[in-house]
Amino acid sequence: MPEEKPLPEIRLDQLTGLRTILSPARADRPFDFGGVPTEPNEDAREKCPFCEGREDRTPPETWADRPGGGAADTPGWRVRAVPNLYPALAQSWGDEAGTAAASGPEPGGLSAAGDPLRATSRGREADLFGASVAMGFHEVIVNTPAHQTSLGQLDDSQLAAAVTGWRERMRTHGERAAYVQLIVNEGHEAGASLEHSHAQLYALGFVPAAVARERERFSSYNQHTMGGDLLAEIASEEVRRRERLVAIDDDALLICPWASRSPFELRIVPRTTAASFEEDGEVGVGMLRTALRALEARFGSLPQFNAWTITAPRDAETFHWHLDIAPRIGIRAGFEMSTGVELNVFPPERAAAELRDALG
């Protein structure tokens, strides 16, 4: 009699309310993980504009960590921020001299300020093709002066300096932006156009819908539980159950989320509630190192990946930051793109167990 296979199941992401379908029976099939690290490119190294000594090949720096002091756009830095040469945003809030005036960042929420459905609800004729300038700032934060192609190649002090730089730039832009998004794309498949390790920062004039959903669910849970913290409760339960727990230290825990959207997705959660990543000192740096080490040990080398922070939008009353890492394993195909429902063939319980074993 053939062995009975477990049925696929639908899981709800507690933070966003979005669905993931887990198909554990498919995890036993031959599976090409993909996402292998790209080989270092000597030609790219020779031409890299991010390496120390080539500061003239980037736009003028907006900030740098220079332990010994020195002039801007010169060697001697540990971490350096510059405007993105090909920005996704206008590099302006629209209220500087010589630019069009703006009313300030859009209000956050699940509907954009220019949504034509809002216009019709107020009795005005809808502009179904309306557009507005994408105000905000888009920066590159170079993680190291040496030509390292991965965060995993940085030593502990270099990684700590890089994350401190991320937080510094997030705080600066957070004074004006409705939301500040920090991302890391490592590898060609993850969207990196230059191999030198770097992060990108987007200072947005609006709160993205996915983040607004989290904010609203945090607020709703807080009200319904008379002060409860949604992510703190999830973290506590993950530690108790241990099925999806990969590692824990004094500051943070590392889990494969309950409704992981892709194989070996990881989440760093601070153990003490903190709304904003940028305001939480050095919390999470050690666990980021552990996450990178776990992936490298499991796959033999660190796979290409995307990482991003989810931090409190401006004026959020209750929130709890987290940092997510998604190795570029498998392919997001037609079902996921057409439905917005993620299909994960590798359950987070199995992924967490394999990562724990890899860490030893």
Side-chain angles (χ1 to χ4, degrees):
M1 187 173 180
E3 180 183 353
E4 186 174 344
K5 296 292 186 180
L7 291 172
E9 64 182 47
I10 297 172
R11 292 188 181 182
L12 201 70
D13 186 309
Q14 306 103 319
L15 300 184
T16 65
L18 300 178
R19 293 176 175 84
T20 291
I21 295 177
L22 292 180
S23 299
R26 293 167 62 84
D28 292 326
R29 65 182 178 152
F31 196 82
D32 180 10
F33 282 110
V36 296
T38 52
E39 292 295 322
N41 185 323
E42 285 302 319
D43 185 56
R45 179 191 294 267
E46 291 301 318
K47 296 178 180 178
C48 179
F50 292 164
C51 289
E52 186 175 30
R54 299 174 186 161
E55 291 78 13
D56 60 334
R57 301 188 190 181
T58 68
E61 68 188 43
T62 53
W63 171 87
D65 173 6
R66 297 177 181 277
D73 301 313
T74 63
W77 50 274
R78 291 194 303 177
V79 185
R80 183 170 181 258
V82 299
N84 194 300
L85 190 59
Y86 305 100
L89 302 170
Q91 307 293 49
S92 166
W93 289 123
D95 53 5
E96 294 85 359
T99 62
S103 59
E106 296 179 19
L110 299 183
S111 299
D115 189 337
L117 296 184
R118 283 188 169 185
T120 55
S121 68
R122 296 174 185 144
R124 294 183 282 118
E125 183 176 349
D127 180 3
L128 297 179
F129 299 94
S132 60
V133 176
M135 295 299 182
F137 288 84
H138 185 186
E139 281 189 354
V140 172
I141 305 171
V142 185
N143 293 325
T144 172
H147 193 80
Q148 307 284 16
T149 59
S150 172
L151 282 178
Q153 295 174 357
L154 276 58
D155 65 28
D156 290 349
S157 64
Q158 291 172 323
L159 183 62
V163 176
T164 297
W166 302 351
R167 284 175 154 140
E168 171 66 26
R169 295 311 295 158
M170 291 176 74
R171 283 194 298 269
T172 296
H173 285 287
E175 295 174 2
R176 183 69 191 271
Y179 189 71
V180 180
Q181 182 65 65
L182 188 288
I183 67 165
V184 176
N185 299 332
E186 289 215 342
H188 179 74
E189 292 179 30
S193 56
L194 292 172
E195 66 178 21
H196 190 128
S197 181
H198 64 281
Q200 294 185 65
L201 179 151
Y202 299 79
L204 302 171
F206 62 95
V207 179
V211 179
R213 288 181 70 99
E214 284 202 30
R215 178 187 59 193
E216 290 167 13
R217 289 174 72 84
F218 271 108
S219 179
S220 177
Y221 187 86
N222 181 266
Q223 293 173 11
H224 285 105
T225 59
M226 303 295 289
D229 180 312
L230 175 59
L231 188 50
E233 297 288 345
I234 293 168
S236 177
E237 190 65 14
E238 291 287 15
V239 171
R240 187 185 71 82
R241 296 188 179 203
R242 307 194 78 82
E243 298 171 289
R244 290 169 295 279
L245 181 68
V246 178
I248 187 168
D249 63 21
D250 291 341
D251 292 331
L253 60 150
L254 180 67
I255 60 173
C256 293
W258 161 253
S260 293
R261 293 163 291 182
S262 58
F264 293 91
E265 180 179 347
L266 290 167
R267 175 165 294 157
I268 296 170
V269 182
R271 294 179 66 179
T272 300
T273 298
S276 300
F277 171 79
E278 59 272 26
E279 300 291 352
D280 203 16
E282 297 182 357
V283 173
V285 177
M287 196 53 75
L288 176 57
R289 166 65 70 204
T290 299
L292 299 174
R293 186 163 58 87
L295 289 171
E296 184 174 7
R298 167 59 182 81
F299 294 103
S301 57
L302 188 61
Q304 300 179 55
F305 68 86
N306 299 102
W308 58 91
T309 59
I310 300 295
T311 189
R314 191 173 62 184
D315 299 331
E317 294 182 3
T318 177
F319 209 79
H320 194 144
W321 73 263
H322 52 96
L323 190 156
D324 293 1
I325 303 169
R328 298 296 288 203
I329 293 170
I331 298 173
R332 194 170 187 267
F335 175 79
E336 294 88 345
M337 290 187 283
S338 63
T339 63
V341 177
E342 302 301 327
L343 180 60
N344 184 1
V345 302
F346 208 87
E349 294 80 10
R350 179 174 173 183
E354 293 189 6
L355 291 170
R356 287 195 302 269
D357 289 344
L359 284 171

